[in-house]
PDB file of all heavy atoms in Angstrom:
ATOM      1  N   ALA I 533     151.003  81.784  70.297  1.00  0.00           N
ATOM      2  CA  ALA I 533     151.288  82.811  69.341  1.00  0.00           C
ATOM      3  C   ALA I 533     150.646  84.130  69.756  1.00  0.00           C
ATOM      4  O   ALA I 533     149.496  84.126  70.289  1.00  0.00           O
ATOM      5  CB  ALA I 533     150.817  82.372  67.935  1.00  0.00           C
ATOM      6  N   GLU I 534     151.266  85.291  69.485  1.00  0.00           N
ATOM      7  CA  GLU I 534     150.774  86.569  69.793  1.00  0.00           C
ATOM      8  C   GLU I 534     150.754  87.458  68.563  1.00  0.00           C
ATOM      9  O   GLU I 534     150.773  88.658  68.608  1.00  0.00           O
ATOM     10  CB  GLU I 534     151.716  87.284  70.823  1.00  0.00           C
ATOM     11  CG  GLU I 534     151.787  86.547  72.155  1.00  0.00           C
ATOM     12  CD  GLU I 534     152.700  87.249  73.142  1.00  0.00           C
ATOM     13  OE1 GLU I 534     152.259  88.207  73.808  1.00  0.00           O
ATOM     14  OE2 GLU I 534     153.902  86.898  73.185  1.00  0.00           O
ATOM     15  N   GLY I 535     150.708  86.838  67.379  1.00  0.00           N
ATOM     16  CA  GLY I 535     150.658  87.574  66.142  1.00  0.00           C
ATOM     17  C   GLY I 535     152.078  87.897  65.597  1.00  0.00           C
ATOM     18  O   GLY I 535     153.067  87.397  66.220  1.00  0.00           O
ATOM     19  N   PRO I 536     152.235  88.532  64.476  1.00  0.00           N
ATOM     20  CA  PRO I 536     151.091  89.095  63.773  1.00  0.00           C
ATOM     21  C   PRO I 536     150.399  88.124  62.792  1.00  0.00           C
ATOM     22  O   PRO I 536     149.285  88.437  62.265  1.00  0.00           O
ATOM     23  CB  PRO I 536     151.771  90.193  62.895  1.00  0.00           C
ATOM     24  CG  PRO I 536     153.103  89.649  62.742  1.00  0.00           C
ATOM     25  CD  PRO I 536     153.525  88.926  63.957  1.00  0.00           C
ATOM     26  N   ASP I 537     150.983  86.936  62.588  1.00  0.00           N
ATOM     27  CA  ASP I 537     150.420  86.012  61.679  1.00  0.00           C
ATOM     28  C   ASP I 537     149.510  84.955  62.195  1.00  0.00           C
ATOM     29  O   ASP I 537     148.724  84.343  61.443  1.00  0.00           O
ATOM     30  CB  ASP I 537     151.583  85.319  60.828  1.00  0.00           C
ATOM     31  CG  ASP I 537     152.463  86.337  60.119  1.00  0.00           C
ATOM     32  OD1 ASP I 537     151.933  87.309  59.541  1.00  0.00           O
ATOM     33  OD2 ASP I 537     153.686  86.112  60.118  1.00  0.00           O
ATOM     34  N   SER I 538     149.602  84.768  63.446  1.00  0.00           N
ATOM     35  CA  SER I 538     148.766  83.732  64.166  1.00  0.00           C
ATOM     36  C   SER I 538     148.596  84.084  65.582  1.00  0.00           C
ATOM     37  O   SER I 538     149.426  84.894  66.131  1.00  0.00           O
ATOM     38  CB  SER I 538     149.371  82.346  63.993  1.00  0.00           C
ATOM     39  OG  SER I 538     150.647  82.311  64.489  1.00  0.00           O
ATOM     40  N   PHE I 539     147.593  83.500  66.256  1.00  0.00           N
ATOM     41  CA  PHE I 539     147.309  83.820  67.621  1.00  0.00           C
ATOM     42  C   PHE I 539     146.742  82.630  68.367  1.00  0.00           C
ATOM     43  O   PHE I 539     146.196  81.750  67.742  1.00  0.00           O
ATOM     44  CB  PHE I 539     146.205  84.922  67.687  1.00  0.00           C
ATOM     45  CG  PHE I 539     146.575  86.254  67.053  1.00  0.00           C
ATOM     46  CD1 PHE I 539     146.402  86.456  65.713  1.00  0.00           C
ATOM     47  CD2 PHE I 539     147.121  87.283  67.842  1.00  0.00           C
ATOM     48  CE1 PHE I 539     146.765  87.655  65.162  1.00  0.00           C
ATOM     49  CE2 PHE I 539     147.497  88.466  67.257  1.00  0.00           C
ATOM     50  CZ  PHE I 539     147.289  88.676  65.882  1.00  0.00           C
ATOM     51  N   ASP I 540     146.933  82.635  69.675  1.00  0.00           N
ATOM     52  CA  ASP I 540     146.134  81.764  70.528  1.00  0.00           C
ATOM     53  C   ASP I 540     145.108  82.714  71.210  1.00  0.00           C
ATOM     54  O   ASP I 540     145.114  83.911  70.866  1.00  0.00           O
ATOM     55  CB  ASP I 540     146.933  80.990  71.572  1.00  0.00           C
ATOM     56  CG  ASP I 540     147.681  81.825  72.593  1.00  0.00           C
ATOM     57  OD1 ASP I 540     147.292  83.028  72.770  1.00  0.00           O
ATOM     58  OD2 ASP I 540     148.602  81.337  73.153  1.00  0.00           O
ATOM     59  N   CYS I 541     144.176  82.208  71.964  1.00  0.00           N
ATOM     60  CA  CYS I 541     143.024  83.054  72.427  1.00  0.00           C
ATOM     61  C   CYS I 541     143.429  84.240  73.166  1.00  0.00           C
ATOM     62  O   CYS I 541     143.016  85.386  72.877  1.00  0.00           O
ATOM     63  CB  CYS I 541     141.993  82.166  73.192  1.00  0.00           C
ATOM     64  SG  CYS I 541     142.643  81.507  74.775  1.00  0.00           S
ATOM     65  N   SER I 542     144.301  84.063  74.180  1.00  0.00           N
ATOM     66  CA  SER I 542     144.739  85.202  75.042  1.00  0.00           C
ATOM     67  C   SER I 542     145.802  86.074  74.306  1.00  0.00           C
ATOM     68  O   SER I 542     145.983  87.211  74.683  1.00  0.00           O
ATOM     69  CB  SER I 542     145.214  84.729  76.341  1.00  0.00           C
ATOM     70  OG  SER I 542     146.297  83.857  76.200  1.00  0.00           O
ATOM     71  N   GLY I 543     146.464  85.441  73.294  1.00  0.00           N
ATOM     72  CA  GLY I 543     147.410  86.205  72.498  1.00  0.00           C
ATOM     73  C   GLY I 543     146.642  87.280  71.703  1.00  0.00           C
ATOM     74  O   GLY I 543     147.071  88.433  71.636  1.00  0.00           O
ATOM     75  N   LEU I 544     145.464  86.857  71.195  1.00  0.00           N
ATOM     76  CA  LEU I 544     144.684  87.830  70.442  1.00  0.00           C
ATOM     77  C   LEU I 544     144.179  88.988  71.334  1.00  0.00           C
ATOM     78  O   LEU I 544     144.292  90.133  70.963  1.00  0.00           O
ATOM     79  CB  LEU I 544     143.508  87.100  69.784  1.00  0.00           C
ATOM     80  CG  LEU I 544     142.483  87.907  69.033  1.00  0.00           C
ATOM     81  CD1 LEU I 544     143.119  88.562  67.792  1.00  0.00           C
ATOM     82  CD2 LEU I 544     141.239  87.106  68.633  1.00  0.00           C
ATOM     83  N   THR I 545     143.545  88.581  72.446  1.00  0.00           N
ATOM     84  CA  THR I 545     143.002  89.656  73.345  1.00  0.00           C
ATOM     85  C   THR I 545     144.092  90.581  73.912  1.00  0.00           C
ATOM     86  O   THR I 545     143.846  91.759  74.023  1.00  0.00           O
ATOM     87  CB  THR I 545     142.186  89.006  74.455  1.00  0.00           C
ATOM     88  OG1 THR I 545     142.998  88.072  75.137  1.00  0.00           O
ATOM     89  CG2 THR I 545     140.974  88.296  73.882  1.00  0.00           C
ATOM     90  N   SER I 546     145.194  90.046  74.302  1.00  0.00           N
ATOM     91  CA  SER I 546     146.243  90.880  74.907  1.00  0.00           C
ATOM     92  C   SER I 546     146.854  91.829  73.918  1.00  0.00           C
ATOM     93  O   SER I 546     147.137  92.964  74.179  1.00  0.00           O
ATOM     94  CB  SER I 546     147.269  90.009  75.595  1.00  0.00           C
ATOM     95  OG  SER I 546     147.915  89.173  74.603  1.00  0.00           O
ATOM     96  N   GLN I 547     147.019  91.337  72.636  1.00  0.00           N
ATOM     97  CA  GLN I 547     147.565  92.172  71.634  1.00  0.00           C
ATOM     98  C   GLN I 547     146.602  93.208  71.152  1.00  0.00           C
ATOM     99  O   GLN I 547     146.948  94.290  70.793  1.00  0.00           O
ATOM    100  CB  GLN I 547     148.087  91.340  70.458  1.00  0.00           C
ATOM    101  CG  GLN I 547     149.290  90.454  70.758  1.00  0.00           C
ATOM    102  CD  GLN I 547     150.522  91.348  71.214  1.00  0.00           C
ATOM    103  OE1 GLN I 547     150.824  92.350  70.526  1.00  0.00           O
ATOM    104  NE2 GLN I 547     151.036  91.021  72.385  1.00  0.00           N
ATOM    105  N   ALA I 548     145.382  92.869  71.146  1.00  0.00           N
ATOM    106  CA  ALA I 548     144.264  93.816  70.814  1.00  0.00           C
ATOM    107  C   ALA I 548     144.276  95.021  71.728  1.00  0.00           C
ATOM    108  O   ALA I 548     144.164  96.182  71.332  1.00  0.00           O
ATOM    109  CB  ALA I 548     142.960  93.136  70.693  1.00  0.00           C
ATOM    110  N   TRP I 549     144.404  94.738  72.986  1.00  0.00           N
ATOM    111  CA  TRP I 549     144.363  95.801  73.981  1.00  0.00           C
ATOM    112  C   TRP I 549     145.722  96.521  74.064  1.00  0.00           C
ATOM    113  O   TRP I 549     145.711  97.692  74.354  1.00  0.00           O
ATOM    114  CB  TRP I 549     143.878  95.322  75.310  1.00  0.00           C
ATOM    115  CG  TRP I 549     142.453  95.294  75.477  1.00  0.00           C
ATOM    116  CD1 TRP I 549     141.562  94.224  75.293  1.00  0.00           C
ATOM    117  CD2 TRP I 549     141.589  96.414  75.708  1.00  0.00           C
ATOM    118  NE1 TRP I 549     140.323  94.684  75.457  1.00  0.00           N
ATOM    119  CE2 TRP I 549     140.313  96.046  75.716  1.00  0.00           C
ATOM    120  CE3 TRP I 549     141.914  97.791  75.942  1.00  0.00           C
ATOM    121  CZ2 TRP I 549     139.193  96.931  75.898  1.00  0.00           C
ATOM    122  CZ3 TRP I 549     140.847  98.645  76.189  1.00  0.00           C
ATOM    123  CH2 TRP I 549     139.539  98.191  76.122  1.00  0.00           C
ATOM    124  N   ARG I 550     146.779  95.755  73.736  1.00  0.00           N
ATOM    125  CA  ARG I 550     148.026  96.508  73.616  1.00  0.00           C
ATOM    126  C   ARG I 550     148.008  97.554  72.461  1.00  0.00           C
ATOM    127  O   ARG I 550     148.512  98.674  72.656  1.00  0.00           O
ATOM    128  CB  ARG I 550     149.200  95.526  73.352  1.00  0.00           C
ATOM    129  CG  ARG I 550     150.576  96.159  73.298  1.00  0.00           C
ATOM    130  CD  ARG I 550     151.655  95.123  73.090  1.00  0.00           C
ATOM    131  NE  ARG I 550     151.686  94.130  74.126  1.00  0.00           N
ATOM    132  CZ  ARG I 550     152.338  94.361  75.257  1.00  0.00           C
ATOM    133  NH1 ARG I 550     153.058  95.453  75.443  1.00  0.00           N
ATOM    134  NH2 ARG I 550     152.392  93.364  76.259  1.00  0.00           N
TER     135      ARG I 550
END
Side-chain angles (χ1 to χ4, degrees):
E534 300 178 83
D537 300 320
S538 57
F539 297 86
D540 62 21
C541 66
S542 56
L544 176 66
T545 54
S546 60
Q547 288 303 307
W549 272 99
R550 183 180 296 276

